[in-house]
Amino acid sequence: MGFWSTVGDVTNSVAKQVEEFRKLREEYESKSDDELLKILNDDGFFGSDSQQKGLARQILKSRGY
């Protein structure tokens, strides 16, 4: 695998992650404050990950919480 194919793979991976984050943001922006608080406070084993909690926190903050 050459340098440019590695760069292309990394670029595609980053673009995919950005798209997934954009979709998650759109989904979370349509959720109610209570749903976002539930995501933020979910500490279970299969609970929300740090990216989801951070996004929920950011949206709640923009809403004045």
Side-chain angles (χ1 to χ4, degrees):
M1 194 175 215
F3 173 77
W4 291 113
S5 23
T6 302
V7 170
D9 290 345
V10 170
T11 302
N12 289 339
S13 176
V14 169
K16 188 176 182 181
Q17 288 177 345
V18 167
E19 182 62 21
E20 289 173 2
F21 186 79
R22 186 189 62 77
K23 287 180 183 180
L24 186 63
R25 184 181 225 359
E26 287 177 0
E27 177 187 338
Y28 277 24
E29 285 178 345
S30 67
K31 290 186 181 286
S32 69
D33 294 344
D34 290 334
E35 290 173 311
L36 292 173
L37 285 169
K38 185 176 179 181
I39 291 168
L40 190 59
N41 293 323
D42 187 9
D43 289 329
F45 183 73
F46 293 107
S48 306
D49 65 18
S50 61
Q51 181 184 32
Q52 292 169 327
K53 287 182 178 187
L55 183 56
R57 184 179 297 112
Q58 186 180 41
I59 292 171
L60 286 169
K61 187 175 180 181
S62 72
R63 292 180 183 177
Y65 281 88

